[in-house]
Amino acid sequence: MASPDGNGGTAAPVPGPQMLRTSPPPGPPRSPAQQSWDRVFRRWGGCALLGIGVLTSTVSADRLLPGHEVYVAGALVPAALALQVWWSGAGHRLPPQAPAGQLYYLVRYLLAFVLTWLNPFFAVYAMLGYFDAGHLLPRRFLRAGVLATAVIMAGSQSGGLPPASPVHWVAFAALYVLNATLVLIFGRIAVQEAEHSAVKAATITELERTNARLALALEENAGLHAQLLVQAREAGIADERRRLAAEIHDTLAQGLAGIITQLEAATESSDPVVARAHARRAAALARDSLGEARRSVHDLSPGALEHAALPDALRTTVEEWSAVAGVRAEFTVTGTAEPLHDEVEATLLRIAQEGLSNTRRHAAASRVGVTLSYMGDEVTLDVRDDGRGFDPGKLPPHQHTGGFGLGGMRARAERIAGTVGIESEPGRGTAVSARVPLVRHG
């Protein structure tokens, strides 16, 4: 064939990154526009590049093609066109690496090689070997396919095939090394990008699964939260009922019992002065009980604590109880008194009232002692009597008299992380000891 002009070769392009996309990355799905472009180019790209090759070769035929080579090229171009028409019609639907696709790649390569041998501008058609090698060739033949295409590209760029002089051979060798190196480098980059995309896709898929599981867990948690709200509401209602029952027992029941005692004493007394004193005491108890009832409904602190500290309120309670019960009672404070949290003070006062009430109803005591002790990080309240005593191991859980008794005192103490202990023996009195944390007033 004739050599090209003195410019040193044709303008066939050096392969770039887009030419080396030998296989689609197995990563995230491509956009619809990209997928549409891939389908269009894979189907019609061969026809378009063959047309460009024919056009440029026709323009340069007078300088590059002798007469007999024109006829060879004229015979091969229709064959290449027929091959591309078949591919555009049915071949592009073949699955990847199909045997028919491999045969198509081989026949097209041979046609492109011969046409480029006749005219270097047909290398434009040969560029297809870079684009679809990964789709048509098995993995073991992929490198061979793109390196073979690099032979055509280097021959075109060095002035045509075969090289016409030693200078052209040197240029061909250098350009082939350049093309092959670029193909391998960019091919490796494409593989790494594909692997990176696959890792990202797997990570995204796993994140989607995790998000789905998290959403399901959140739904389940929402259901559990709703159930907990219902249970908490029911528990709150039950706790409020227990609180009111304990308050009624500790205030109204004891107040009514004191009123009954005073009225009975008034009716049995023949002395009008003594009877009036008992009546006045009954009226005072009634007023106090009414006030406590209102405070219990509104969940307020006991009335005795409204204007007095815990030691003073306990002292008043013991003195009033002694006057009503007719039993000698003493109150003692040990340690340094400190203002306590309202709930702690209310709990200790109610426990003292319940202990004194139990003593009056069951102990038949002649002497009672109440001691409040401040001991560093806790406060203790002791209620002792010299009454008949009992066996703590045989204590029934609930007494049919309607009171809450020792169980109620323990429940009150446990509500603020405290404890209540009982020491008693038949005939040797009883000692009730409540221990609660010393929580200072906020």
Side-chain angles (χ1 to χ4, degrees):
M1 64 170 259
S3 298
D5 57 21
N7 293 332
T10 66
V14 175
Q18 294 301 321
M19 297 182 182
L20 300 171
R21 293 292 293 268
T22 54
S23 61
R30 308 182 73 184
S31 66
Q34 290 175 319
Q35 294 176 358
S36 176
W37 165 251
D38 287 345
R39 287 194 299 268
V40 171
F41 183 81
R42 185 173 297 167
R43 181 176 183 181
W44 302 105
C47 294
L49 294 179
L50 178 61
I52 295 173
V54 170
L55 179 61
T56 55
S57 298
T58 300
V59 172
S60 61
D62 293 340
R63 300 181 59 189
L64 300 180
L65 286 176
H68 65 284
E69 293 183 356
V70 171
Y71 298 110
V72 177
L76 293 179
V77 167
L81 179 60
L83 179 66
Q84 292 305 137
V85 170
W86 168 80
W87 174 259
S88 300
H92 72 282
R93 299 188 181 92
L94 294 173
Q97 289 88 43
Q102 299 174 37
L103 181 60
Y104 159 74
Y105 187 93
L106 177 60
V107 173
R108 189 189 66 195
Y109 174 81
L110 293 175
L111 288 172
F113 182 85
V114 175
L115 287 171
T116 304
W117 187 288
L118 298 175
N119 190 317
F121 283 104
F122 276 110
V124 175
Y125 178 53
M127 281 194 301
L128 281 172
Y130 287 137
F131 287 100
D132 57 9
H135 180 74
L136 298 176
L137 299 180
R139 188 176 184 86
R140 62 182 182 276
F141 296 138
L142 178 59
R143 182 172 297 180
V146 294
L147 290 178
T149 302
V151 172
I152 300 177
M153 303 305 296
S156 172
Q157 293 161 1
S158 63
L161 293 172
S165 66
V167 174
H168 285 84
W169 274 104
V170 172
F172 169 77
L175 289 170
Y176 177 74
V177 171
L178 175 63
N179 279 271
T181 302
L182 290 175
V183 166
L184 296 179
I185 291 176
F186 285 111
R188 180 58 183 169
I189 292 175
V191 170
Q192 291 177 344
E193 289 180 351
E195 292 174 351
H196 183 63
S197 297
V199 172
K200 289 176 62 177
T203 303
I204 292 173
T205 301
E206 183 60 28
L207 287 175
E208 290 175 348
R209 293 196 191 101
T210 302
N211 288 336
R213 291 194 294 268
L214 180 60
L216 181 61
L218 289 175
E219 292 179 1
E220 294 176 353
N221 287 340
L224 292 175
H225 181 66
Q227 294 178 5
L228 289 175
L229 287 178
V230 173
Q231 294 174 358
R233 188 179 298 111
E234 294 175 350
I237 294 173
D239 186 66
E240 183 65 10
R241 288 173 177 171
R242 287 192 296 270
R243 183 189 70 80
L244 287 174
E247 292 293 333
I248 290 172
H249 170 265
D250 292 343
T251 57
L252 296 183
Q254 295 179 25
L256 291 174
I259 293 170
I260 292 172
T261 301
Q262 296 300 320
L263 292 177
E264 288 177 347
T267 56
E268 293 174 359
S269 176
S270 58
D271 187 347
V273 176
V274 174
R276 283 195 297 274
H278 285 298
R280 286 195 297 272
R281 193 168 295 161
L285 286 174
R287 284 192 295 270
D288 291 342
S289 297
L290 178 60
E292 291 294 342
R294 289 170 177 169
R295 293 178 183 278
S296 297
V297 170
H298 294 288
D299 195 19
L300 299 175
S301 298
L305 293 173
E306 185 174 3
H307 302 292
L310 178 62
D312 296 332
L314 283 173
R315 189 182 307 278
T316 301
T317 299
V318 171
E319 292 174 353
E320 291 178 351
W321 179 86
S322 177
V324 172
V327 178
R328 179 183 176 186
E330 297 179 354
F331 174 71
T332 306
V333 178
T334 64
T336 302
E338 297 186 50
L340 303 178
H341 190 277
D342 293 345
E343 186 68 18
V344 175
E345 291 191 344
T347 298
L348 290 174
L349 180 61
R350 293 305 191 201
I351 290 175
Q353 290 173 339
E354 177 65 18
L356 291 172
S357 176
N358 289 341
T359 299
R360 185 173 61 83
R361 290 201 305 267
H362 307 296
S366 61
R367 184 176 180 182
V368 174
V370 178
T371 302
L372 178 66
S373 303
Y374 294 85
M375 300 185 298
D377 58 352
E378 69 177 9
V379 183
T380 63
L381 175 70
D382 299 302
V383 180
R384 304 172 308 280
D385 66 66
D386 60 356
R388 63 170 61 100
F390 62 94
D391 184 358
K394 298 181 180 179
L395 184 67
H398 183 74
Q399 300 174 2
H400 58 80
T401 56
F404 282 69
L406 298 175
M409 288 190 282
R410 287 195 177 99
R412 286 186 178 277
E414 290 171 357
R415 195 176 302 151
I416 59 172
T419 59
V420 171
I422 307 295
E423 294 181 5
S424 183
E425 291 183 18
R428 304 193 61 176
T430 301
V432 177
S433 179
R435 306 171 70 92
V436 299
L438 193 154
V439 182
R440 294 173 175 82
H441 190 277

